[in-house]
């Protein structure tokens, strides 16, 4: 029998009525003859509440207990969906991550799935049961402790289960009917995409489009899992297919830019007047890396001044070093660099958290020149100041003031012809 994984996110299981609606989608696929594994998230808002309780309980909390607490949201919804399915006359049982088992690394709070043994699920399918799996959770084999996969991690659970059980498809049901050219809640003119390539989806997800967790796209790409993003709000009797994440070759009509992503989870740090000599970048970025602080955009500008602030007396020139880190790492990075002031030898440190990174993504950029330059011009015309830029093969990003987020996203969305025709 063919197998299917169906994943339902927080808003799709927000209450018992919504869970009944989920069950109706599951029934359709069971009646179509599939062996079905369902992966569920916690009810919407639940994980945030649990995280809040952890933070309230302990300032510097034990990440293993964080996982024990936040994994509970999915335990509830998996049990509830199994109950509702049983009530409909569909044999079903719930599976916690450790029961499957979904084995992970011990990076509590952002663990990586290492393996999923399909044997128990296979036995359950052979019994004619729907397997309702709690997403987001796993277990570290050596310690036997519960782990979670990072926010949005149920997507990853679903795709990994699909790969492990050899599912024909993985359907990610959410509160939008597919992947759009940008977040449809920010840009009403965003257009739904029928297909998007793995590579572009990977970039969009890692640059801030939270419709799929990055790791889920990586696993889908690696194991060639046919993954759709679709709406749980569609009529269960007549749902639309949503967006297929697929190989680039499957996409006939290719745009230069496919989507615009944005991330408010950024912070900017500038070190003023750093001595411009060999080894200075290593002195700054080495210690940050040692503390697991990821640095993203980097720009170095010769300041035109020497360490003592004068020119022309034979002293070496200095440079201003600007870079970005994730907002969550900002305080730690500032503290570390402040401590290292004597070693790095800079004059002043400045930081900003009111910044946003806007990115344009498209495989067409490989073969088209000047794509980013058009954006710089368009943003300048709207009076949007660019603080930093990065580019790579299929994307470019600009760092700007947070206040201009919507204006900039809309400007680029129109510029690259992504607006929906009215
Ligand atoms: P779930 O709880 O189902 O996992 P999420 O909130 O994690 O749902 O993801 C769905 C949300 O992702 C949408 O409501 C939408 O606001 C947001 N989103 C951001 N970028 C995009 C995009 N390019 N296409 C579709 N949705 C997007
Ligand atoms: N409930 C978890 C979260 O909110 C996992 C998920 O929804 O995918 O991050
Ligand atoms: Mg999600």
């Amino acid at each position: 029998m063919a197998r299917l994984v169906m994943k339902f996110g927080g808003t799709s299981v927000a209450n018992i009525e919504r869970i009944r609606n989920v069950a109706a989608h599951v029934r359709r696929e069971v009646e179509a003859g599939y062996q079905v594994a369902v992966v569920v998230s916690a009810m919407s808002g639940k994980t945030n509440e649990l995280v809040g309780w952890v933070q309230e309980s302990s300032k510097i909390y034990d990440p293993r207990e964080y996982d024990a607490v936040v994994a509970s949201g999915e335990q509830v919804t998996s049990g509830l969906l199994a109950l509702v399915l049983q009530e409909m006359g569909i044999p079903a049982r719930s599976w916690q991550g450790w029961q499957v088992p979904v084995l992970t690394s011990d990076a509590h709070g952002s663990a990586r799935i290492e393996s999923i043994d399909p044997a128990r699920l296979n036995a359950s399918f052979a019994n004619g049961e729907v397997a309702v799996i709690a997403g987001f959770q796993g277990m570290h084999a050596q310690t036997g402790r519960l782990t979670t996969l990072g926010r949005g991690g149920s997507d990853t659970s679903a795709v990994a289960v699909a790969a492990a059980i050899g599912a024909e498809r993985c359907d990610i049901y959410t509160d939008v009917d597919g992947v759009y050219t940008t977040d449809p809640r920010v840009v009403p003119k965003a257009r739904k995409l029928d297909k998007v390539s793995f590579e572009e989806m990977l970039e969009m997800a890692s640059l801030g489009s939270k419709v799929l967790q990055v790791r889920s796209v990586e696993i889908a790409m690696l194991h060639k899992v046919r993954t759709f993003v679709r709406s749980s709000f569609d009529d269960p009797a007549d749902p639309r297919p949503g967006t297929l994440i697929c190989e680039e070759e499957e996409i006939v009509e290719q745009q230069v830019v496919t989507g615009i992503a944005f991330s408010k989870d950024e912070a900017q740090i500038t070190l003023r007047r750093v001595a411009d000599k060999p080894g200075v970048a290593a002195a700054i970025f080495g210690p940050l890396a040692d503390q697991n602080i990821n640095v993203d955009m980097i720009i170095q500008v010769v300041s035109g001044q020497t360490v003592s602030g004068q020119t022309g007396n034979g002293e070496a020139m200095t440079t201003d070093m600007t870079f970005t880190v994730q907002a969550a790492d900002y305080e730690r990075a500032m503290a570390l660099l402040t401590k290292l002031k004597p070693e790095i030898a800079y004059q002043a440190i400045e930081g900003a958290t009111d910044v946003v990174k806007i990115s344009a993504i498209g495989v067409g950029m490989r073969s088209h020149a000047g794509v980013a330059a058009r954006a710089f011009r368009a943003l300048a015309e709207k009076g949007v100041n660019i603080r930093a830029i990065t580019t790579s093969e299929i994307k470019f990003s600009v760092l700007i003031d947070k206040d201009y987020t919507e204006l900039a996203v809309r400007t680029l969305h129109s510029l690259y012809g992504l607006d929906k025709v009215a």
Side-chain angles (χ1 to χ4, degrees):
M1 270 169 96
R3 291 176 172 176
L4 193 64
V5 172
M6 307 172 76
K7 181 259 172 178
F8 294 89
T11 33
S12 306
V13 294
N15 52 47
I16 305 300
E17 192 193 329
R18 297 293 313 147
I19 292 177
R20 287 221 168 82
N21 168 72
V22 164
H25 281 284
V26 174
R27 179 171 56 194
R28 180 190 67 241
E29 302 297 359
V30 170
E31 287 173 352
Y34 284 104
Q35 290 181 332
V36 178
V38 188
V39 173
V40 287
S41 291
M43 291 179 176
S44 59
K46 192 67 201 173
T47 309
N48 285 345
E49 182 184 48
L50 296 167
V51 171
W53 287 345
V54 169
Q55 289 167 342
E56 215 181 304
S57 308
S58 164
K59 210 161 178 217
I60 306 170
Y61 49 79
D62 177 347
R64 294 163 300 189
E65 302 307 345
Y66 166 94
D67 278 349
V69 175
V70 302
S72 66
E74 276 72 10
Q75 174 158 346
V76 172
T77 47
S78 58
L80 289 173
L81 178 58
L83 287 170
V84 170
L85 286 166
Q86 289 172 5
E87 178 121 320
M88 281 181 169
I90 300 169
R93 71 153 278 190
S94 65
W95 293 87
Q96 303 312 300
W98 62 270
Q99 292 172 321
V100 174
V102 176
L103 298 181
T104 73
S105 69
D106 64 352
H108 286 276
S110 59
R112 279 171 81 91
I113 295 179
E114 285 174 347
S115 69
I116 297 180
D117 181 351
R120 291 183 196 158
L121 292 177
N122 287 342
S124 175
F125 288 140
N127 273 337
E129 284 170 351
V130 169
V132 185
I133 302 168
F136 186 49
Q137 324 176 335
M139 183 183 84
H140 180 240
Q142 286 73 20
T143 56
R145 307 277 323 231
L146 279 186
T147 56
T148 63
L149 309 178
R151 299 307 305 270
S154 298
D155 299 329
T156 301
S157 307
V159 178
V161 167
I165 65 170
E168 179 185 292
R169 227 169 61 219
C170 180
D171 286 342
I172 309 270
Y173 288 83
T174 183
D175 55 3
V176 284
D177 61 350
V179 177
Y180 279 70
T181 47
T182 192
D183 190 337
R185 297 189 196 286
V186 172
V187 181
K189 284 185 187 162
R191 224 169 356 100
K192 203 203 96 188
L193 299 162
D194 291 330
K195 294 179 178 178
V196 58
S197 70
F198 286 121
E199 275 192 19
E200 287 168 324
M201 194 64 238
L202 201 56
E203 292 287 5
M204 283 174 68
S206 53
L207 294 167
S209 306
K210 71 161 189 168
V211 61
L212 286 177
Q213 199 196 34
V214 181
R215 186 72 188 129
S216 71
V217 187
E218 283 173 4
I219 297 175
M221 189 165 156
L222 192 66
H223 295 278
K224 306 210 179 308
V225 179
R226 250 183 124 66
T227 303
F228 286 83
V229 174
R230 54 195 301 188
S231 173
S232 72
F233 290 80
D234 278 2
D235 177 1
D238 186 25
R240 292 165 296 171
T243 301
L244 172 65
I245 323 295
C246 62
E247 301 290 343
E248 207 177 305
E249 294 71 36
E250 277 193 59
I251 300 171
V252 188
E253 232 178 292
Q254 199 56 260
Q255 305 279 341
V256 176
V257 171
T258 302
I260 311 291
F262 55 92
S263 164
K264 294 183 177 169
D265 181 31
E266 310 286 322
Q268 176 188 332
I269 297 175
T270 300
L271 298 180
R272 297 256 177 238
R273 288 211 224 146
V274 191
D276 195 6
K277 56 174 196 258
V280 60
I284 298 169
F285 300 118
L288 289 169
D290 292 342
Q291 296 297 315
N292 282 321
I293 297 174
N294 278 331
V295 171
D296 179 20
M297 311 171 110
I298 301 177
I299 43 175
Q300 187 179 350
V301 184
V302 175
S303 67
Q305 287 184 315
T306 62
V307 178
S308 63
Q310 275 135 46
T311 49
N313 61 357
E315 254 187 277
M317 284 295 182
T318 62
T319 176
D320 287 349
M321 194 76 93
T322 294
F323 52 91
T324 61
V325 296
Q326 285 182 16
D329 292 332
Y330 174 70
E331 300 288 345
R332 272 199 312 139
M334 288 294 277
L336 179 66
L337 293 167
T338 305
K339 199 178 81 192
L340 292 175
K341 188 173 181 197
E343 284 93 319
I344 302 171
Y346 59 83
Q347 195 197 51
I349 183 165
E350 289 162 19
T353 50
D354 54 348
V355 292
V356 63
K357 182 171 69 177
I358 315 263
S359 309
I361 298 108
V363 289
M365 283 190 210
R366 284 197 203 110
S367 48
H368 287 79
V371 179
R374 288 174 59 201
F376 306 154
R377 214 172 303 126
L379 292 173
E381 277 164 17
K382 300 272 177 178
V384 179
N385 182 38
I386 299 174
R387 292 162 168 253
I389 300 171
T390 49
T391 65
S392 69
E393 205 189 18
I394 66 162
K395 57 114 186 173
F396 69 86
S397 306
V398 293
L399 190 75
I400 62 167
D401 290 356
K402 223 173 225 170
D403 288 348
Y404 293 106
T405 308
E406 290 191 17
L407 175 66
V409 173
R410 286 179 188 178
T411 301
L412 299 193
H413 198 265
S414 302
L415 177 71
Y416 296 115
L418 299 176
D419 290 354
K420 176 165 66 184
V421 275

